[in-house]
Amino acid sequence: MSQKPKEPGDRREFFVKLGIGAGLVALGGQGLASLRSLVPNVSYDSPTTVKLGYPQEFPEGMKFLPDQRLYVFREGKVLHAISAVCTHLGCTVRAEALSQVEVRTVEGSPLRLTHRFLCPCHGSKYTGDGENVAGPAPRPLAWYHLSIATDDGQLVVDLARPVERSFRLTLA
Amino acid sequence: MALSPESEKPQAPGVHPRPLWSLDPASDRQAGDAIVSNFVFHWFPAKALKDSLAWRYSLWLGTVSAALLLLLTLSGLPLLFLYVPSVERAYGSVKDIEYVITFGYWIRSVHRFGAHFMVAAVFLHLVRVFLTGAYKNGPGRGQHREWNWLMGIGMLLLTLFLSFTGYLLPWDQLAYWAVTVGTNIASAVPLVGPQIRELLLGGRNIEQATLIRFYVLHVIVLPGGLGVLFAYHMWRIRKDGGLASADQAASLPAKVEVPPGRTKTYTLLGIARGTGPTIRASSIEAADTTVSSIPDLTRRIAIVLLGTIAAISILAVFVHSPLEEAANALVTPNPAKAPWYFLWLQEIVTDTTIKLGSFTVNGAFIGGVILPGLLVGLLAVWPWLDRSPTAAAGRWFPQSRRRQNAVFLLLVLAVLLLTFVGTFCRGPYWQLYWPWQAWVELPTRI
C-alpha cells in the first residue's frame, strides 16, 4: 500500500507549524521589545512649572524669557503671559513693537496691545493678544497661567496650563 | 613570447596564466570567464545588450547615484571617527573637522556635496524612468519591473531621510530648527502623531536622546536599508532582462525551437547531462545586438564612477561647507530655511492651512503629511494604473505616453518652482521678495 498512515504525517505537520509559529512569535517579540525600549519611561525634560523671578523685577511692558519661550507682559500690577511657540510648527515667534499702542477688548477684558508676533519659519503673524491673523498658523498663541509662589513670592508660570485670554494676574 | 588566445588552455574556468587577465581579456572566451569567476564582475552578465549601454537612453543616472552612494560611504568613514554624537561636543567636533583637522574640510565637503548630488541624481533617475516608461514590462517572461520601481521610490525616500538626519548632526542652528519643524510635521499625523514625535525625539524636547537617535539612523539603520534595497535593485535589473530599452533587441530575431534529443548541453557553468531542454533562443547571444561586458560595460561603469568621484572631489576642494552658529534653543534664525531639496515642502506647509468657518486644518498636516503622502502613493501605484502599450516602454517621449508624461512633468515643474520660490524669493519672516530685492534690515536680537 502506497498510502502512508495518517498520524505521523499530521504530527510532523503540527510540529513544523509549531516551529514556524514559535519562530515568528520570538522574532515579533524581539522586535516589539526593541521598539518598546525606545519609548522613554522617565522624562528628563525640564519641569513645566517654573519660577520666573520676583514680579518687581519685570519691567513695565514686555519681557521675553527665552528659556521658557514666553512673553510676560506687565501693566502696573497686572500681568499676563503669552507663549512664543508658533502653533504651526513650533518655531519661536519674534515680537515686533507697534508704532501705535492699541487698546482692544479681548474676551471681555480690555488689553493694551504693544507688540505683534511674527514667525521666522513660515511667516505666521499674530496680533499682540496672540490671535493668528495671517500665515499658516492654525490657532492663536497659548496664554499660560501665572501665579505667585507661596514660599518666596516669585512669579510662577505653569506651561502645562493654558488659560483663556481674559486671564490676568493682579499683584496685591 | 605571448600566448595566442587559441593556444591558451585554462586548467579550469577562471584559471589563467597571466595576472590581471580578467581586466584585459585576450578573447571572448576569457571575457566570459572573467565575468563568471571574478568577485566584482560576477554581478554583470557575460554579454551586455548594446541598447542597455546607450548613453543617451539612461543617461547613466542610476550608476551616478550608486557612485555617489559609494563615495558617501567612503567619505563617511573618516567622519565617523572624528565626529562625537553628543549635544555638548557635536558642534565642536564638526568645527574641528572643518578648521583643525588636516583635510577635514575637504572630506566633509565631499560628503556634503555627495549628499546634495545624490538627492539630485536619484530624483533625476526617477524622472528618467518615468518619462521612458521603464517601469513597464516588455515581452520577456518573468519581468517585474514594477517591483524595481517601488524599491526605487523607497530608495529616494531613504536618500531624503539620510540627508535630513545628516544635516542635523552638526547640531548648529540649521540642525536644531530643522528637527523642530520636521518632528512637528510628524506630530501632525492624526491620532499617533505626538507618539511618533516622542519616539523620534526620545522625549518631549530636543536633547541628547534626539541626537543619538538621528545619529544611529544616519550611520547604521538608513544606510543598511539603502544597501539592501540597492543590491535587490541591481539583481532585479538582471532578472528583468536588462534595461527596458533593450527589450526590443532581446526579442528581435524569431525565436527558434530547437528540437530536444541531445544528450548533453553546454551551459554557462558546465555540462548538463540527460535529455537536452528545449531552448528558446534569443538575441542575448547574437553578435549584432550584444557586446562582451568586459570591456564595453566595465569601461563605461569605470568612466561614470571615476568621473562622478573626480567631479565631487575637485568641487569640494574649492567650495567649503557652511556651519551655522551652534544650536540655540532660544533663538529661531530669521528666516529659518531648510536645505534646497526640502524647500518645496516648506513652501507647501506654509500655504496649505485651510480655514472653514471656525474649523482650521493645520498646513503641517495637509502640506506635510497628506500632500507628500499622496504624491508618494500615486508614484507607487502608477505602474498598475498606467495603460500605455508595452511597446512604449524604454523609449523617450513615446506618443502613447504623451498625456501622462505631460502631467508628470507638470508635477515635477511645480516642485521645482516651489523649490525656486523657497530658495530665492523668501526673506525674513518668510516674506516674499524678488531674488534681486534686498531684505529689510532686522535687529538680530530681540
Side-chain angles (χ1 to χ4, degrees):
Chain A
M1 255 177 55
S2 64
Q3 201 183 349
K4 281 187 212 163
K6 244 190 159 188
E7 250 185 54
D10 281 353
R11 188 156 61 206
R12 179 163 295 178
E13 220 168 86
F14 171 74
F15 277 114
V16 165
K17 279 181 183 162
L18 190 70
I20 292 172
L24 288 179
V25 167
L27 276 178
Q30 295 255 1
L32 282 178
S34 308
L35 205 62
R36 178 60 185 85
S37 73
L38 294 175
V39 180
N41 287 339
V42 177
S43 164
Y44 297 103
D45 300 340
S46 34
T48 52
T49 309
V50 192
K51 284 185 177 175
L52 304 174
Y54 294 96
Q56 53 270 28
E57 288 169 2
F58 282 81
E60 188 74 14
M62 187 199 78
K63 185 181 184 186
F64 176 53
L65 304 170
D67 286 316
Q68 285 76 36
R69 300 171 82 191
L70 192 71
Y71 288 103
V72 177
F73 292 85
R74 178 174 168 177
E75 231 180 280
K77 284 176 177 289
V78 183
L79 292 130
H80 68 272
I82 301 179
S83 162
V85 180
C86 183
T87 55
H88 177 230
L89 282 171
C91 294
T92 306
V93 297
R94 293 171 181 227
E96 195 183 70
L98 297 176
S99 51
Q100 261 187 323
V101 176
E102 193 188 324
V103 180
R104 194 192 289 174
T105 309
V106 178
E107 291 185 3
S109 1
L111 185 70
R112 266 165 57 89
L113 306 181
T114 53
H115 291 77
R116 63 175 185 155
F117 304 104
L118 305 169
C119 182
C121 287
H122 305 90
S124 294
K125 290 192 179 106
Y126 303 86
T127 52
D129 61 332
E131 183 71 39
N132 51 319
V133 286
R139 287 187 311 278
L141 294 173
W143 283 46
Y144 287 124
H145 184 264
L146 291 175
S147 57
I148 296 295
T150 47
D151 52 351
D152 56 3
Q154 286 197 52
L155 191 61
V156 174
V157 65
D158 189 347
L159 295 168
R161 189 171 162 193
V163 289
E164 296 283 304
R165 275 181 278 171
S166 54
F167 176 88
R168 303 283 187 282
L169 174 70
T170 309
L171 299 174
Chain B
M1 207 179 89
L3 294 162
S4 76
E6 280 74 25
S7 68
E8 209 176 283
K9 290 253 164 49
Q11 297 134 315
V15 178
H16 292 266
R18 280 185 304 131
L20 297 180
W21 61 274
S22 65
L23 295 178
D24 182 24
S27 64
D28 278 0
R29 163 76 199 261
Q30 278 196 13
D33 258 11
I35 290 284
V36 177
S37 59
N38 186 293
F39 173 67
V40 181
F41 293 150
H42 87 269
W43 277 31
F44 306 120
K47 292 259 182 182
L49 287 149
K50 280 180 187 164
D51 286 352
S52 280
L53 301 181
W55 294 108
R56 273 186 4 201
Y57 169 68
S58 68
L59 310 174
W60 286 69
L61 288 163
T63 314
V64 170
S65 309
L68 289 167
L69 178 60
L70 175 71
L71 182 62
L72 281 162
T73 312
L74 294 179
S75 60
L77 265 181
L79 295 176
L80 211 49
F81 283 105
L82 298 168
Y83 172 77
V84 185
S86 104
V87 289
E88 286 87 20
R89 295 174 61 189
Y91 183 76
S93 67
V94 174
K95 213 164 148 186
D96 273 2
I97 291 170
E98 189 65 33
Y99 298 109
V100 178
I101 288 156
T102 310
F103 297 132
Y105 90 89
W106 182 65
I107 296 168
R108 178 166 173 248
S109 199
V110 164
H111 200 70
R112 175 171 166 272
F113 273 116
H116 281 289
F117 278 83
M118 187 165 160
V119 171
V122 172
F123 177 71
L124 290 174
H125 181 46
L126 178 132
V127 171
R128 191 283 289 173
V129 168
F130 190 94
L131 291 180
T132 55
Y135 52 79
K136 297 170 68 64
N137 295 319
R141 276 190 289 171
Q143 288 181 328
H144 287 289
R145 292 218 171 96
E146 65 277 3
W147 295 353
N148 243 359
W149 171 254
L150 285 181
M151 271 184 265
I153 293 170
M155 282 190 284
L156 173 64
L157 294 180
L158 281 177
T159 307
L160 288 173
F161 282 127
L162 271 164
S163 304
F164 181 66
T165 51
Y167 73 73
L168 301 177
L169 300 183
W171 214 244
D172 59 355
Q173 280 286 69
L174 174 71
Y176 187 88
W177 294 100
V179 192
T180 305
V181 171
T183 53
N184 273 322
I185 288 178
S187 74
V189 176
L191 303 177
V192 290
Q195 282 87 335
I196 294 177
R197 179 168 196 263
E198 198 169 326
L199 189 64
L200 283 169
L201 294 186
R204 261 172 241 115
N205 296 324
I206 298 167
E207 274 160 28
Q208 179 60 49
T210 314
L211 178 57
I212 202 77
R213 277 169 198 225
F214 281 95
Y215 171 75
V216 172
L217 285 175
H218 184 75
V219 304
I220 296 283
V221 180
L222 299 175
L226 193 56
V228 170
L229 282 183
F230 167 64
Y232 199 1
H233 202 68
M234 299 309 292
W235 183 74
R236 277 235 61 88
I237 295 174
R238 294 266 324 252
K239 286 279 135 186
D240 293 336
L243 304 194
S245 61
D247 277 349
Q248 302 303 319
S251 59
L252 255 184
K255 286 173 178 169
V256 184
E257 294 276 347
V258 178
R262 287 205 210 156
T263 52
K264 64 181 182 181
T265 306
Y266 291 93
T267 70
L268 196 58
L269 293 171
I271 299 167
R273 295 195 183 279
T275 308
T278 304
I279 299 163
R280 296 181 67 87
S282 79
S283 76
I284 195 74
E285 304 297 333
D288 54 337
T289 54
T290 60
V291 284
S292 281
S293 287
I294 299 179
D296 290 71
L297 174 65
T298 47
R299 189 203 295 125
R300 287 179 193 223
I301 287 174
I303 290 170
V304 174
L305 194 70
L306 296 179
T308 306
I309 292 176
I312 303 277
S313 306
I314 293 167
L315 186 62
V317 173
F318 297 107
V319 186
H320 293 216
S321 319
L323 183 62
E324 295 194 359
E325 287 171 46
N328 184 352
L330 314 183
V331 182
T332 310
N334 189 10
K337 285 197 184 190
W340 59 270
Y341 42 84
F342 283 137
L343 280 176
W344 64 282
L345 273 176
Q346 194 169 358
E347 272 299 321
I348 57 176
V349 296
T350 302
D351 305 325
T352 50
T353 292
I354 292 175
K355 290 193 178 75
L356 294 167
S358 62
F359 190 69
T360 308
V361 188
N362 196 344
F365 178 55
I366 297 178
V369 180
I370 297 276
L371 282 178
L374 270 180
L375 274 182
V376 171
L378 199 60
L379 279 179
V381 298
W382 196 251
W384 287 272
L385 300 178
D386 181 0
R387 293 264 171 263
S388 61
T390 304
R395 289 193 293 126
W396 280 96
F397 303 118
Q399 196 74 11
S400 53
R401 290 176 51 80
R402 207 160 55 169
R403 202 179 308 159
Q404 54 174 305
N405 277 348
V407 172
F408 178 77
L409 279 176
L410 272 181
L411 284 176
V412 169
L413 202 67
V415 167
L416 293 181
L417 197 72
L418 288 174
T419 307
F420 179 85
V421 171
T423 311
F424 296 109
C425 308
R426 290 292 190 178
Y429 297 123
W430 208 243
Q431 305 279 3
L432 282 171
Y433 286 83
W434 291 111
W436 53 85
Q437 207 179 350
W439 291 355
V440 288
E441 295 271 331
L442 287 168
T444 47
R445 298 197 65 82
I446 313 166

